[in-house]
Amino acid sequence: MGIFNKFSFIFLVIFLALSANAEVQRHRFVIQATKVKRLCKTHNIITVNGMFPGPTLEIKNGDTLEVQVVNKARYNVTIHWHGVRQMRTGWAYGPDFVTRCPIRPGGSCTYRFTVQGQEGTLWWHAHSSWLRATVYGALESFSVTNTNDYDDQSEMEATRTGAAPNVSDAYTINAQSGDLYKCSSKETTIVPIDSGETNLLRVINAALNQPLFFKVANHKLTVVGADASYTKPFTTSVLMLGPGQTTDVLIQGDQPPSRHYMAARAYQSAQNAPFDNTTTTAILEYKFASCAAKKCNGPTPIMPSLPAYNDTNTVTAFSQSFRSREKAEVPTDIDESLLFTIGLGLNNCPPNL
């Protein structure tokens, strides 16, 4: 764990040094319909700034985010800042009809809040109907790997019937389905790595409602954080993330130079519940100097052995491996009584929302 200790110490020093110079970051999100080609067809999906996934926001501890959201789509929309502790800015939390009214087509809204005391991977996504299927992006992140399901009919069908979204057409890693789906090989996500180096992967499950296994062939993953909190490091061959969860892992380039699939598939323990039982892939590619110069194709990637879709034992073992970095001292003598109050907002939204 020497590498991790060195990494975390350097990160902490830089993080604390920068936090003294907190700043206001201003961004503009334009919600709009965008044509993308996936699985041999062109689909009209809702995006932010024409990007799928949307923009990655890189911030420092103590920074204030000011994000103007302009809705040019034909649906109501809000943005939810997933996992951000909204200190005295609860109205910026995001879910429509809970902390705010939705932004109507043609309307706009500016979110303003400060991120404090959180280090690691967070994300943002739409929180109105099923728009989060395509409207999402990373927060406080660089070098992001996110997995999600993809179905351009989900929004329409769920809105029409009031039921759960359709079973997805495919899963994706960084918006690409990968080699195992038709018409997808040329756009498969490539993640480069050098022999001997250690990389930080930030893994986000951006799926609507599907837990996912994630694995890299022939590589171990050292978990160092989850949901923007450091954890006591532990090593595993497989991750399992529920929808909305994030996990930060270290991966070492300790294999002979080759190409290895990064793969994700569903975990589903419910009986007789339909789900997408396919596998999405990206490629962890060691940097071949000679091959890169010739722009040639590398060898066929090695495929990892993923757990069975109903492997609850693996899920339990993984989830029980999480520990806090320091022992939590819990007081045994109670010497104070606290009173908590909850306010209920009853302001009506404009008609026809």
Side-chain angles (χ1 to χ4, degrees), residues 28-47:
R28 189 169 188 260
F29 282 5
V30 178
I31 312 296
Q32 61 190 51
T34 302
K35 293 185 183 300
V36 301
K37 189 173 184 179
R38 296 292 188 278
L39 308 180
C40 310
K41 296 180 180 180
T42 298
H43 307 261
N44 208 34
I45 66 173
I46 306 302
T47 65

Side-chain angles (χ1 to χ4, degrees), residues 5 8 36 51 62 69 81 89 103 116 125 137 148 174 182 188 192 194 219 234 238 256 274 281 286 290 292 307 322:
N5 290 335
S8 62
V36 301
M51 301 168 62
V69 179
W81 310 96
T89 51
I103 306 168
Q116 276 185 307
H125 59 82
N148 74 296
N174 286 9
K182 59 184 179 180
T188 297
D194 265 334
H219 289 74
F234 68 92
V238 62
T281 56
Y286 282 77
S290 59
F322 284 90

Side-chain angles (χ1 to χ4, degrees), residues 95-226:
D96 60 348
F97 299 111
V98 178
T99 58
R100 61 155 293 111
C101 300
I103 306 168
R104 289 178 167 183
S108 67
C109 170
T110 298
Y111 295 84
R112 184 184 175 94
F113 56 90
T114 300
V115 179
Q116 276 185 307
Q118 293 184 272
E119 302 174 17
T121 304
L122 299 164
W123 67 301
W124 56 264
H125 59 82
H127 210 303
S128 185
S129 297
W130 299 109
L131 285 183
R132 75 180 191 274
T134 57
V135 177
Y136 64 86
L139 171 60
E140 200 175 12
S141 178
F142 54 94
S143 181
V144 177
T145 300
N146 55 58
T147 61
N148 74 296
D149 46 7
Y150 175 79
D151 183 351
D152 69 320
Q153 295 297 317
S154 289
E155 169 71 23
M156 178 182 68
E157 191 67 16
T159 302
R160 184 177 66 81
T161 65
N166 293 342
V167 173
S168 61
D169 297 321
Y171 298 110
T172 68
I173 297 179
N174 286 9
Q176 299 297 338
S177 301
D179 293 352
L180 305 186
Y181 297 95
K182 59 184 179 180
C183 306
S184 299
S185 293
K186 291 183 180 180
E187 288 78 27
T188 297
T189 298
I190 304 292
V191 179
I193 190 171
D194 265 334
S195 294
E197 75 178 11
T198 300
N199 279 216
L200 174 65
L201 290 180
R202 303 179 184 269
V203 187
I204 304 170
N205 183 351
L208 283 176
N209 54 10
Q210 187 66 61
L212 293 167
F213 289 114
F214 177 82
K215 195 170 184 178
V216 183
N218 292 350
H219 289 74
K220 296 290 187 179
L221 303 171
T222 300
V223 177
V224 296

Side-chain angles (χ1 to χ4, degrees), residues 227-249:
D227 298 326
S229 295
Y230 288 126
T231 65
K232 185 176 181 179
F234 68 92
T235 300
T236 178
S237 62
V238 62
L239 309 179
M240 199 292 294
L241 292 85
Q245 290 184 322
T246 72
T247 304
D248 296 340
V249 300

